[in-house]
Amino acid sequence: MMRSFRRSLSLALLGVAASAGAAWADLTGAQEFVERESDYALQVLSDDALALADKQERFRDFVDRVADVDRISRFVLGKYRNAGTPEEIAEFKVLFREYAIGIYEEQLGRYNGEGASLKTAVPRGKDEYIVTTIVDGGALEEPVEVNWRVSERGGEYRVLDVEAFGIWLAIQQKDDFEAFIGQNGRSISALNDELRRRLSENRGGAAQMSVANGDMPKAGSGSHNN
Amino acid sequence: MLAVGAALAASGCASTKQVEAARETNERIYDPLEPVNRQMFRVHTVLDTVVLEPLAKGYRAVTPKQARTSVRNFLNNAASPAVFINNVLQGDIEGAGVTLARFGINTTFGILGLFDPAAEEGLELRWEDFGQTLAVWGVDNGPFLYVPVLGPTTTRDMVGRGVDSFASPYRFVEFDNEDSWRTGQAILNGIDQRAALIEPLDELERTALDLYAAQRSFYYSLRDDQTANGEQDFEDLPEFD
């Protein structure tokens, strides 16, 4: 009896130790992911030899590789994520990606030499991590703490949300979109119309025009559903 | 008052669908008065465009940065008694000590609070008000409110503002033109705060689809961050799936 109890306890402790080791490894992985990708982003931003158009192209690749655009797209629809038709949701994902990239793309030419360094990382839930970095220098009067919400699935890390000054970007976006949909007949298609209008109003280029002209992927294609 | 009445009347004309949608709240935001608040937001936007923002931009244009920093330091120092009381009410004795030390150092070496030598010694300002104290005591935000000129707030924070005003040092010292001084300080405080928000509010206006909702979300996030003193509980974040 006592022997089997000890054996069970040993196995349990081994299990805890193994899972703690795995969590530590994942935590380090999340840290390395943020460090690697933020170094890459800063390198692109600070490369004076790159034309703005090249920076924008690399930024688009960067967003697709680093951010979980599919999950973010569903999240920002909030309580209306199941309200639209599959076609409307598929169209929204394309428009949202363009819209979100467009917001930050405008800032790419305004880099002033800011740098980032890793501060801490903590686990969140069963497959997420919050990685904290300190952004300093450049045009900043004082260091700013930036939190990255990173998910890990199958050994692959993706950013879900980013926070500075208490503002989580995806949550702020969700509150905005949710309210807009609520005020416009709870219609995803009204949101799509507005995003399309803003894209065609504010930006040119072939990618935007194809979106503005309704050149959308068929529902279910383009991005996978988790 | 006229504006409030007009807005209330106008809100009665809002479509049923809009009112229903407004009553649906998400987990974080409670805005049962949304139709009225949206009218107040419109009133505020007009006042902001015509008066507040030009004042803030003018203030920024005519004063050097150091002068604006000194104004902010002075206003922060004047608010120290209220911050101290809230430190104590929140059971934050260490914070109360920091606030007291800051007040002593900045009022003397900082020339009546115009400079902030305490921060250089590592005693940095950590803003506390009665709204945050109520939050620490477990009082919920209550209904969201949009008040023309003041902007977004909540019922809890409005109560907090009222209580904090009683802790102003000018309530305990009698001097000539006391009312003018107090009014002047309130106006300066408003202009200073609006000036600090020029870029964030412009950015919201540029990117938001529903500016009212974006400002509301922004307000909740900033206040949550202030109450948590920057130490968020990440487990409270909404799930993605």
Side-chain angles (χ1 to χ4, degrees):
Chain A
M1 175 73 181
M2 198 60 195
R3 256 180 85 178
S4 80
F5 171 72
R6 278 191 190 139
R7 187 177 143 75
S8 305
L9 186 66
S10 308
L11 282 172
L13 285 174
L14 273 174
V16 169
S19 59
W24 178 251
D26 292 343
L27 199 60
T28 311
Q31 279 182 348
E32 285 172 358
F33 164 74
V34 169
E35 220 168 6
R36 184 176 64 243
E37 297 300 349
S38 53
D39 280 353
Y40 171 78
L42 290 174
Q43 185 199 323
V44 171
L45 285 172
S46 60
D47 189 345
D48 294 334
L50 274 179
L52 186 60
D54 292 327
K55 284 187 183 180
Q56 288 176 341
E57 198 183 320
R58 291 192 190 194
F59 178 65
R60 285 167 172 267
D61 292 342
F62 174 77
V63 168
D64 287 334
R65 187 179 74 245
V66 171
D68 195 335
V69 179
D70 192 53
R71 285 177 76 193
I72 297 169
S73 301
R74 270 183 288 123
F75 176 76
V76 295
L77 287 175
K79 63 190 171 196
Y80 299 106
R81 67 177 65 178
N82 298 317
T85 65
E87 289 77 15
E88 285 172 342
I89 301 288
E91 186 183 18
F92 168 75
K93 283 179 182 173
V94 178
L95 290 164
F96 171 63
R97 176 181 168 279
E98 288 298 323
Y99 174 72
I101 284 176
I103 287 175
Y104 300 106
E105 226 170 35
E106 286 180 21
Q107 317 283 335
L108 292 179
R110 299 181 200 163
Y111 177 67
N112 290 301
E114 290 83 0
S117 57
L118 196 72
K119 188 185 172 195
T120 54
V122 291
R124 184 198 173 276
K126 65 176 168 51
D127 60 0
E128 289 181 13
Y129 303 92
I130 304 291
V131 181
T132 306
T133 56
I134 305 292
V135 179
D136 199 2
L140 293 171
E141 284 178 13
E142 47 191 57
V144 176
E145 204 168 276
V146 178
N147 284 311
W148 303 78
R149 184 172 173 182
V150 175
S151 79
E152 187 266 317
R153 286 184 172 179
E156 193 176 301
Y157 297 95
R158 304 294 283 274
V159 173
L160 293 175
D161 205 353
V162 183
E163 178 262 354
F165 303 109
I167 312 293
W168 287 95
L169 297 181
I171 295 174
Q172 172 78 28
Q173 191 69 81
K174 177 182 85 81
D175 289 343
D176 183 13
F177 281 177
E178 223 172 27
F180 182 88
I181 298 167
Q183 292 293 311
N184 288 276
R186 300 176 196 179
S187 157
I188 305 286
S189 117
L191 175 64
N192 287 344
D193 289 345
E194 178 64 14
L195 291 176
R196 197 181 298 109
R197 187 186 69 75
R198 285 182 179 232
L199 280 168
S200 57
E201 202 173 71
N202 297 335
R203 307 180 54 213
Q208 289 69 48
M209 285 315 292
S210 71
V211 169
N213 291 333
D215 184 12
M216 292 293 138
K218 295 278 179 281
S221 69
S223 56
H224 65 282
N225 290 316
N226 289 327
Chain B
M1 266 324 276
L2 195 63
V4 174
L8 280 169
S11 71
C13 304
S15 80
T16 315
K17 274 187 179 175
Q18 279 180 324
V19 174
E20 276 175 23
R23 282 191 183 136
E24 291 173 8
T25 53
N26 72 16
E27 316 79 37
R28 197 167 68 113
I29 293 163
Y30 180 53
D31 191 1
L33 304 172
E34 185 169 339
V36 180
N37 283 332
R38 281 187 181 269
Q39 294 297 333
M40 294 292 122
F41 165 72
R42 286 182 198 113
V43 173
H44 174 85
T45 303
V46 172
L47 294 175
D48 189 65
T49 309
V50 177
V51 183
L52 306 177
E53 191 179 11
L55 267 178
K57 286 187 170 167
Y59 169 66
R60 217 187 241 193
V62 300
T63 50
K65 196 175 171 201
Q66 183 54 51
R68 293 197 304 274
T69 305
S70 281
V71 167
R72 173 92 316 254
N73 288 338
F74 176 79
L75 294 168
N76 284 340
N77 196 56
S80 290
V83 175
F84 174 79
I85 291 168
N86 283 297
N87 284 136
V88 173
L89 291 174
Q90 291 174 31
D92 181 5
I93 302 307
E94 190 191 331
V98 169
T99 305
L100 196 60
R102 280 180 54 80
F103 189 61
I105 293 169
N106 289 347
T107 306
T108 52
F109 298 109
I111 314 172
L112 294 174
L114 289 172
F115 298 93
D116 189 0
E120 288 162 25
E121 297 303 316
L123 298 170
E124 290 186 5
L125 171 72
R126 207 166 70 185
W127 184 264
E128 301 293 348
D129 52 51
F130 197 67
Q132 291 183 58
T133 297
L134 289 172
V136 170
W137 289 353
V139 177
D140 283 338
N141 269 306
F144 175 79
L145 300 170
Y146 206 105
V147 183
V149 181
L150 292 181
T153 186
T154 64
T155 314
R156 181 183 70 196
D157 290 344
M158 275 302 283
V159 171
R161 270 175 181 267
V163 172
D164 283 326
S165 69
F166 283 102
S168 165
Y170 311 121
R171 288 204 179 264
F172 308 106
V173 187
E174 283 188 19
F175 54 92
D176 292 341
N177 299 324
E178 194 183 326
D179 287 343
S180 309
W181 177 259
R182 203 179 292 158
T183 308
Q185 195 205 350
I187 292 171
L188 191 58
N189 200 27
I191 295 172
D192 173 69
Q193 286 189 6
R194 182 61 186 86
L197 287 169
I198 289 174
E199 282 81 15
L201 290 183
D202 282 354
E203 185 66 13
L204 272 190
E205 200 171 335
R206 185 176 75 85
T207 58
L209 268 63
D210 185 326
L211 188 55
Y212 167 80
Q215 284 194 17
R216 185 177 60 184
S217 176
F218 191 73
Y219 180 78
Y220 273 86
S221 298
L222 288 182
R223 287 297 284 169
D224 286 350
D225 192 52
Q226 277 183 341
T227 304
N229 293 320
E231 291 171 14
Q232 301 178 59
D233 185 352
F234 299 123
E235 296 298 330
D236 286 346
L237 292 172
E239 298 304 326
F240 259 67
D241 298 309

